[in-house]
Amino acid sequence: MSSTTVTTTPIAAPAAGAQAPPKLFGIDSRFVAPIFITFILLVGQLAYGILESYAMTALAIVTAVALELVLGRLLVGKWPHLASAYISGISVGILTRSPYAWPFALCSAISITSKYVLRVRDRHVWNPSNFGISVMLLLAPWAYSTLSVQWGNNLWPMLVIWALGAIITYHVGRIHITLTYVVSFFVLSYVRSLVTGHSYWAEAAPITGPMYQLFIFFMITDPKTTVRSSRWAQALVGFLVALAEMFLRLAENVHAPYYALFVVGPAANLFEIYLTSRRAKS
Amino acid sequence: MRKSPIARGLLILFFAALLATPFVMKRWHERAGSPSAARAAEAGTDSAVFGRYGFRLEEVSKQSGVDFAHSAPTLDDKLAHIMPQVASMGAAVSVVDFDRDGWQDLYVTNSGEGSLNALYRNRRDGTFEDVAAALGVADLNRAETGVSMGAVWGDYDNDGFEDLFLYKWGRPELFHNDGGKGFTRVTDKAGLPSWANANTALWFDYDRDGKLDLFLGGYYPEDVNLWHLKNTKMMPESFEYAKNGGRKYLLKGRGDGTFEDVTAAAGINTRRWALACAAADLRGTGYPDLFIANDYGVSELYFNDGRGHFRDAGEQTGVGFAPKSGMNISFGDILNRGAFAAYVSNISEDGVLVQGNNLWVPREGTGGDALKYDNLAEEMGVELGGWSFGAQFGDLNNDGALDLYVVNGYVSLDRGANYWYDYSKIAGGNTSIISDAANWPPMKGRSLSGYQQKRVWVNDGAGKFADVAQAVGARDTFDGRSVVMADLWNRGVLDVVVANQRGPLLIYKNTVAPENAWVGFELEGTQSNRSALGAQVRVYWAGQEQVQEVSGGSGFCAQNQRPLHFGLGKGARVERVEIRWPSGKTQTLEQPEVGKVHHVKEA
């Protein structure tokens, strides 16, 4: 672990090596992802009431943004851009299910702080909200669970979100990760179906839920915590996340996608850092 | 990042503190609210338990001559792979003094095809005798006509004897009580639906005309015959947003055993998956409002406008905002401030689904049409039960504060195999997937939140409850469904009866510290319905006020005894009692004697 400069580039920043993308729908790229996730929240809440409560979601967002401001100012010496923290906060606010208020704040706090603490060669290696949620699931299962249900009986909001998400991830050069993961999930669902003997649709069912929309558009595509070597490498990581998830699901792990990314994401980053360092030395 | 080692050290310390927080919170929560195991051990002997909590429970069903075991139905073969979770309800108990001898009797439902319901007549000597078969209310469970889910009692013709309404997955049945000596089936002329897959019903007088009305809440749609499925697309369309359940019936009683379906005219057109309902005047209008706890969705609270219309104010009041898995609704004035809190049970399973039960407490300063509720389950310590079903408020130790008994546990099969992963997998699926039972992974004998402990939450009177179930003797781990409270031996204490799915009927005899005073009221309406359902009794004593209402059904598939029981605490005297009858009349009793049940007739 080292401590150097922390940047808080928003999630929709262009992938390494790419030029800054043009504005999407006339919106500055930095604001595309925050606007998109806010849209998901609004669709989910207004159509189905997916939130535990407005107050608890607000608590998660406020905690994330406030902590980002404090840590950014104290440790980096300047006011950070808040898009990333906002996305982390809103992800926690949507995904957290708890009757208590404190897990919302704590999960956000762990997510944001992890960016500043768990760093290797100037990179944080875990997606913040994935880290926060995984830690909460491991340490506070008696008080914490995640959103695990579907949008409801109407397919349209989900299709709209998927379409918009595809446009945005294409725009920011991350669509190959999303597509690789989604295709892998559906194919591996078939494999799981063969192993378990359950209906194919029972195995594929989870990906139709709202949790996965945040997972594929915001967590596995996070530019700060995905490998940077090449698009092929990024797609490979997307596949490995789906593969790890398959094994976790076969072991009947309820939180398989979170734990799969929790393990594969940093492992891939560390491997890339190791390779980069070896190349630099040679 | 600034490279100050101090800043780095402080950051790491802060991070470590964050990671340690769940452990600290767990300890804090355990100390604050769920001390069952620890305090049971700490409490030690029976006398220590008695001294600490003021009561203890002893399971006495065998000694009482009650040997009842619930059996579940065997539904269509297409559901065989998930039968234990579909055929997971039907164990119910309701309390009635059907023969008006002054001793509370028990009606218990069974659900296996060919199984018998039981009517346990209280022999007044500590034992019960099943008279259901002799009186014609036993053999009611057939695949052709459906199987029992629960029963509620109310005197629909005001002849002084409580009549029986039996709701089923099938054809609901109405029995007239013939003077406590037998029952006559009057279903055919009553105007009831020919088939309803119902899990909840209640008697009430929603229009205050002195004739009892019925509310019946469907769970599965009424065109589904669970023994002969047309197809397997009969499951909820969503785990939290389902609106494809059974219809609801508001049946206006004519006082002669016939009913008029006024559901549509009353504005009740919900098709949520109702599992529990209860009625009480929550706004001081004199008319009963209707609370429905729904599985797979939000609760509904229907305000009664007194002109025959109901308006869903669930979202407005706060109780219908977050969708959960509502399985119980019971009312209790837990803070002795003359207002009802509402308890809704849900599902909590560590690390998988932590919905938490809801304790809806009226927000101070709100009322009438602007009534708002806050969920204070966490603050008051009654949030986490497990897979909770029935719950009832009652003063178990006669200390003057209402306690809460909650039963938990869904499907107890193989202790070492868990169905939760597969359950959560399908629960996240889109409508087309979750609504088709064929897509549901087979249970293969696995448990789903099985073998769970119960909660006996003792109210300290100051806004905190502590779970003392293990300490006081409520130690069973059957799949609890229906729970009721009744003074079965006329001793001035509330005993507890629990009906368990595919399990025995348990009778917990309560022994209470004798120094705590109590008073009871058995009401009889004259202008109001004779059962006095909807009558409110306010007892004022020692600077406190507690309100209770005579109920025609509450909890989960349950009905408590009709007489109202008030604990008062040590050496207390009642200052006055105000009775507000459904007719609108009021009666005041000045300084009624404690330690007895007062029989009060509407003047």
Side-chain angles (χ1 to χ4, degrees), chain B residues 40-176:
Chain B
E42 187 185 312
T45 63
D46 264 9
S47 59
V49 169
F50 199 68
R52 180 185 284 262
Y53 305 120
F55 75 111
R56 64 170 175 261
L57 301 171
E58 182 188 4
E59 205 288 301
V60 298
S61 54
K62 292 287 183 292
Q63 299 93 301
S64 303
V66 172
D67 185 15
F68 182 92
H70 175 264
S71 60
T74 304
L75 307 172
D76 192 304
D77 267 355
K78 298 185 194 76
L79 301 174
H81 62 300
I82 52 171
M83 192 68 75
Q85 63 157 316
V86 177
S88 60
M89 292 177 281
V93 56
S94 47
V95 185
V96 61
D97 179 8
F98 79 93
D99 52 2
R100 290 189 65 179
D101 66 350
W103 294 75
Q104 301 301 324
D105 313 302
L106 303 171
Y107 187 70
V108 190
T109 61
N110 215 327
S111 312
E113 295 84 353
S115 66
L116 302 177
N117 295 350
L119 176 57
Y120 287 106
R121 189 177 66 83
N122 194 326
R123 284 169 150 160
R124 314 176 202 179
D125 62 356
T127 65
F128 293 82
E129 171 192 18
D130 182 8
V131 297
L135 300 187
V137 288
D139 190 5
L140 297 166
N141 302 308
R142 302 276 171 204
E144 298 74 32
T145 52
V147 299
S148 302
M149 287 292 123
V152 283
W153 296 78
D155 183 3
Y156 68 71
D157 58 354
N158 293 326
D159 68 352
F161 288 88
E162 306 289 310
D163 308 301
L164 168 64
F165 178 68
L166 179 70
Y167 50 97
K168 306 161 82 173
W169 286 353
R171 183 180 67 200
E173 301 279 7
L174 184 64
F175 292 90
H176 180 259

Side-chain angles (χ1 to χ4, degrees), chain B residues 52 112 141 152 155 158 173 237 270 299 326 340 400 416 454 477 481 484 513 515 538 561 571:
Chain B
R52 180 185 284 262
N141 302 308
V152 283
D155 183 3
N158 293 326
E173 301 279 7
E237 62 190 351
T270 173
S299 294
F340 292 113
K454 314 311 165 209
T477 56
R481 291 293 177 272
V484 293
E515 62 269 24
R538 279 172 203 274
Q561 68 172 18

Side-chain angles (χ1 to χ4, degrees), chain B residues 390-406:
Chain B
Q392 296 290 357
F393 290 108
D395 192 347
L396 290 168
N397 51 11
N398 284 344
D399 68 348
L402 293 180
D403 310 305
L404 178 62
Y405 196 111
V406 181

Side-chain angles (χ1 to χ4, degrees), chain A residues 53-126:
Chain A
S53 80
Y54 285 118
M56 291 194 186
T57 304
L59 177 64
I61 297 170
V62 168
T63 303
V65 168
L67 201 56
E68 180 88 317
L69 281 172
V70 171
L71 294 180
R73 185 70 201 166
L74 290 178
L75 300 170
V76 185
K78 61 180 182 182
W79 296 112
H81 194 288
L82 295 176
S84 173
Y86 177 75
I87 291 168
S88 295
I90 211 167
S91 297
V92 168
I94 293 174
L95 293 174
T96 294
R97 278 288 186 268
S98 175
Y100 309 115
W102 63 265
F104 287 82
L106 182 62
C107 188
S108 278
I110 290 173
S111 301
I112 297 301
T113 311
S114 75
K115 288 199 302 186
Y116 292 85
V117 176
L118 304 173
R119 304 184 64 79
V120 178
R121 301 281 169 96
D122 199 23
R123 288 171 62 176
H124 59 276
V125 293
W126 269 282

